[in-house]
Amino acid sequence: MSLPPIPGLPTAKPSPTVMADAIRVLSMEAVHRAKSGHQGMPMGMADVATVLWTKFLKYDPKKPDWADRDRFVLSAGHGSMLIYSLLHLTGFKSVSMEDIKNFRQWGSTTAGHPEYGHTAGVECTTGPLGQGLATAVGMAMAERHLNARFGDEIVDHRTWVIAGDGCLMEGVSHEAISLAGRLKLNKLIVLWDDNNVTIDGVATIAETGDQLARFKAAGWAVKAVDGHDHSKIAAAMRWATQQSKPVLLACKTLISKGAGPKEGDPHSHGYTLFDSDIELARKAMGWEAEAWTVPAPIKKAWEAAGRKAARPRKAWEAALKAHPQRDAFERAMTGDLPAHAFEALDAHIEKQLELKAGDATRSASGAALSQLVPHIDEMIGGSADLTGSNNTFVKGMTAFDAPAYDGRYVHYGIREFGMSAALNGMALHGGIIPYSGTFFVFSDYSRPAIRLAALMGIRVINVLTHDSIGVGEDGPTHQPVEHLASFRAMPNLLTFRPADIVEAAECWKAALLERKTPSLMVLSRQKVPAVRHQGGNLSAKGAYELKAASSEAKVSIFSSGTEVSVAVAAAEALEAQGIPTRVVSTPCWSLFDRQPAKYQAEVIGKAPVNVAIEAAVSLGWERFIGQDGIFVGMSSFGGSAPQDVLYKQFGITKEAVIEKVTAKLAAKAG
């Protein structure tokens, strides 16, 4: 649509460079007013972003959650004014000029780093550098899988990433690009802001690698381009969309492009421009508009680009309406479970209540998955090279791999961080319920991605086996003792530690019903006896009375996981001595927190002596046993020996419990 001539401007239609200057000016002004932030990257990548958002990216400002839109991930999230400027300029209602003015302030949609769920149009909380790129790999995996399931008519889009030098230095980037290259994710395009700048100065003070050679070696198509030449950028992007591999475009840029004397200054990564700097930058760009003002021709040109990018949506909606799998697709994308998702699992639970069989809880988890995966098509599993140990594979699953992207099992390789970030990307994309496995101790590698899953509020399930000193002979390096406490402290995360086959199945059901909270399945290597004999999904309450005392309880024993059987054995022995003892299983503390205060008080009870048993450190158990309670568990790292020997050596036995309880009761009586 043509625009009328505007006085003072040489043309009614602004040039691409002038459109990019709008990003630069908004970024300068917002960072200056906030007195914090990073205008350097948004100014440097403004030209690349302008070409992408006006010529290539498929999106709709009026419908930010359109299922077949392209995904745009700002991995270099510190440059958040880039995406906020783009959202505002193209017509997203989520970012007004007032929000731009209130950049990094309470109540605005323009947080310091882009936050998923906080600002429509932001696809991902990228957070620490590198995670956005790794998360984008998961988005591209989800697109390929759903394309294989539903076809090109309704799933055919790309994932675009802007990453900086810091993103590519972070170790998770190595995991991510290696996995993406192996899987030939040709719908993934990374735009590298190749400006040779990090906070300490030029990137080369800490980096000597050849990034193009590195990506090429990992199976990517690569190309270098002048990041300020719009025609060359467009040609490179057209080339990228035609490749059969993931693509890296190395966009050579100047940080703070357009900032006059500060242009290219390696210190301008986080350097806030002064009034005089901004005045010189405006002069260098020829920008005469008042502060916080985008001239109408420029704003209209940007909004026209947004409308043009949205045109494919209507054709897509017509295709979806006529598609034979429409209902299944819409259900998958909304995150709803199939109507009969849990029928087989519920029957499995009833059978196990009758059989009363013992097993390792990792095996119990695998048995639960075998009742879920065949009935929930959205579940995509995997493991970090520990499939046989994690029990995450279900018979009948095939590998997700090029060109057979319809497979539902991913071989992630030994890439725990990259794997967990990819799970986040799949969940964020929609249409997938991802789960994967590794050893619990290796959650130290996965933790940053688990934390972002909790922060974003997405349904991701991390299976974490070999959960305690029960690992045995592998020794203390592989025996997590502090991990339970640290994850239980993380907000919006469900940490499940089931005691037997029944609890494991119940925990899986509870995790799948959580649409805005990720879950951990913390599972044992060693076999444990069945402890649950009553029905009802008691694990969904987080904690419950497993065994009542014969009369008014003198002792309450609280426990989780493999140590619940120790608690039951100790309670039976104490009862034999005439000491009424009850047992409370605590499979998920976070779910217990959600219960009414009355229920919590009933479960904790009023016994004179409270005991907690867990093969981990004591931190957090005070909530159940008080400051005066008895803790039977770990106060050090573990050791290398058979698990039975370790439990005895560290005093996690029924005999140790009985000794401490009787001593405590005697002291109270005295």
Side-chain angles (χ1 to χ4, degrees):
M1 137 179 175
S2 61
L3 298 171
I6 303 297
L9 290 177
T11 176
K13 185 176 182 180
S15 70
T17 299
V18 171
M19 292 177 70
D21 286 342
I23 297 172
R24 296 184 174 103
V25 172
L26 288 175
S27 298
M28 285 193 308
E29 291 176 342
V31 171
H32 178 67
R33 180 164 178 166
K35 296 183 174 61
S36 70
H38 307 77
Q39 78 283 318
M41 189 280 276
M43 295 179 75
M45 284 296 280
D47 296 305
V48 174
T50 297
V51 174
L52 176 62
W53 281 65
T54 60
K55 296 182 181 298
F56 291 91
L57 195 70
K58 186 169 63 169
Y59 62 99
D60 186 350
K62 293 183 178 179
K63 198 164 186 179
D65 60 349
W66 165 37
D68 200 40
R69 69 192 181 279
D70 284 355
R71 270 59 171 181
F72 173 73
V73 176
L74 187 66
S75 187
H78 57 274
S80 56
M81 269 310 304
L82 178 65
I83 190 169
Y84 298 146
S85 298
L86 290 163
L87 293 174
H88 173 70
L89 291 168
T90 54
F92 282 77
K93 292 183 179 180
S94 56
V95 180
S96 66
M97 186 60 81
E98 280 303 305
D99 290 312
I100 298 286
K101 289 180 181 179
N102 289 299
F103 176 55
R104 288 179 160 233
Q105 305 306 307
W106 181 263
S108 76
T109 60
T110 50
H113 287 70
E115 305 290 346
Y116 171 76
H118 185 68
T119 311
V122 170
E123 302 282 2
C124 171
T125 300
T126 47
L129 294 179
Q131 278 206 66
L133 171 55
T135 304
V137 170
M139 293 180 178
M141 291 169 67
E143 190 276 341
R144 287 292 80 197
H145 177 76
L146 293 172
N147 172 270
R149 181 180 173 188
F150 295 108
D152 289 341
E153 298 86 356
I154 55 174
V155 183
D156 186 16
H157 55 266
R158 302 182 190 280
T159 301
W160 300 81
V161 182
I162 286 182
D165 289 291
C167 293
L168 302 191
M169 287 184 187
E170 287 286 358
V172 70
S173 74
H174 296 264
E175 298 181 22
I177 70 167
S178 178
L179 180 63
R182 171 62 186 81
L183 295 174
K184 296 183 173 65
L185 300 175
N186 69 311
K187 295 287 187 173
L188 174 64
I189 301 174
V190 173
L191 308 169
W192 169 33
D193 179 19
D194 181 13
N195 62 17
N196 192 33
V197 173
T198 57
I199 291 176
D200 282 356
V202 293
T204 47
I205 65 173
E207 177 62 66
T208 59
D210 183 336
Q211 296 289 7
L212 271 71
R214 171 190 166 206
F215 275 76
K216 187 174 182 179
W220 289 54
V222 301
K223 184 183 283 290
V225 63
D226 182 341
H228 301 304
D229 187 319
H230 288 242
S231 63
K232 290 180 179 178
I233 296 166
M237 289 183 181
R238 278 192 294 273
W239 171 85
T241 62
Q242 297 165 6
Q243 302 308 301
S244 59
K245 304 175 180 180
V247 176
L248 171 73
L249 293 182
C251 305
K252 193 63 181 175
T253 62
L254 286 170
I255 196 166
S256 294
K257 172 69 174 175
K262 293 297 181 182
E263 181 177 280
D265 184 346
H267 299 293
S268 64
H269 170 90
Y271 174 87
T272 303
L273 299 177
F274 294 103
D275 288 337
S276 57
D277 297 325
I278 291 179
E279 184 178 349
L280 290 171
R282 283 171 164 271
K283 286 182 179 179
M285 286 184 275
W287 190 274
E288 298 179 356
E290 295 180 0
W292 313 110
T293 302
V294 178
I298 300 173
K299 187 66 164 70
K300 287 181 178 179
W302 270 110
E303 290 173 347
R307 289 191 296 272
K308 180 181 177 182
R311 287 174 189 167
R313 179 177 63 83
K314 290 185 178 180
W316 175 84
E317 287 178 341
L320 176 63
K321 189 174 182 180
H323 200 279
Q325 294 175 281
R326 175 186 176 183
D327 290 345
F329 177 78
E330 290 183 333
R331 181 189 57 73
M333 293 304 294
T334 57
D336 293 339
L337 295 171
H340 307 293
F342 299 122
E343 280 189 0
L345 184 73
D346 290 341
H348 166 71
I349 291 172
E350 291 301 317
K351 182 178 179 181
Q352 294 304 320
L353 285 169
E354 295 176 6
L355 291 176
K356 299 179 175 61
D359 208 344
T361 54
R362 61 170 173 163
S363 299
S365 170
L369 282 170
S370 70
Q371 307 302 319
L372 292 166
V373 170
H375 305 286
I376 305 176
D377 291 336
E378 292 71 48
M379 290 184 73
I380 305 293
S383 174
D385 200 51
L386 290 167
T387 294
S389 293
N390 299 151
N391 293 87
T392 44
F393 180 82
V394 172
K395 185 178 179 180
M397 296 178 92
T398 57
F400 172 91
D401 196 4
Y405 293 119
D406 58 339
R408 296 173 61 195
Y409 195 82
V410 184
H411 295 286
Y412 287 100
I414 307 164
R415 304 182 180 101
E416 292 88 357
F417 190 177
M419 173 180 70
S420 292
L423 298 186
N424 292 350
M426 284 188 272
L428 287 164
H429 179 281
I432 305 288
I433 302 174
Y435 72 90
S436 72
T438 188
F439 287 176
F440 191 25
V441 76
F442 301 153
S443 63
D444 283 338
Y445 291 160
S446 304
R447 185 183 304 271
I450 294 171
R451 182 176 185 271
L452 283 195
L455 183 62
M456 291 186 283
I458 53 178
R459 180 167 49 189
V460 170
I461 303 171
N462 285 266
V463 176
L464 301 166
T465 69
H466 296 59
D467 68 344
S468 69
I469 59 170
V471 171
E473 293 86 346
D474 278 345
T477 60
H478 283 54
Q479 294 167 3
V481 295
E482 75 276 26
H483 296 62
L484 276 167
S486 65
F487 280 116
R488 284 168 174 161
M490 190 177 288
N492 195 41
L493 177 68
L494 300 183
T495 301
F496 291 99
R497 191 168 185 247
D500 65 1
I501 297 176
V502 171
E503 278 199 1
E506 290 179 337
C507 290
W508 265 104
K509 185 174 184 178
L512 287 167
L513 288 171
E514 291 289 330
R515 297 170 67 131
K516 294 186 177 181
T517 305
S519 298
L520 307 183
M521 291 292 168
V522 181
L523 307 165
S524 73
R525 175 194 185 192
Q526 71 272 31
K527 187 175 181 177
V528 290
V531 294
R532 260 291 290 285
H533 307 302
Q534 66 267 54
N537 193 343
L538 300 177
S539 298
K541 293 186 175 182
Y544 63 94
E545 185 176 83
L546 175 70
K547 177 187 176 300
S550 56
S551 58
E552 185 176 352
K554 291 186 178 180
V555 180
S556 289
I557 305 179
F558 302 85
S559 190
S560 79
T562 47
E563 289 74 62
V564 174
S565 59
V566 177
V568 171
E572 290 172 349
L574 288 167
E575 286 278 2
Q577 295 181 24
I579 303 172
T581 304
R582 61 195 288 269
V583 175
V584 173
S585 179
T586 65
C588 183
W589 294 11
S590 295
L591 287 181
F592 185 60
D593 286 343
R594 299 181 185 176
Q595 306 310 309
K598 181 180 179 182
Y599 176 80
Q600 292 184 31
E602 289 172 351
V603 169
I604 292 173
K606 297 180 179 180
V609 174
N610 291 317
V611 185
I613 312 172
E614 192 168 65
V617 297
S618 64
L619 186 65
W621 277 106
E622 298 84 3
R623 61 178 305 162
F624 291 100
I625 64 174
Q627 296 297 325
D628 190 42
I630 298 168
F631 179 72
V632 176
M634 301 295 295
S635 59
S636 67
F637 292 109
S640 180
Q643 62 96 10
D644 288 342
V645 173
L646 292 176
Y647 270 79
K648 184 175 181 181
Q649 290 294 325
F650 287 105
I652 308 175
T653 63
K654 74 172 184 179
E655 291 80 11
V657 175
I658 293 165
E659 180 182 349
K660 291 183 178 184
V661 166
T662 53
K664 187 83 167 181
L665 287 170
K668 284 182 173 289

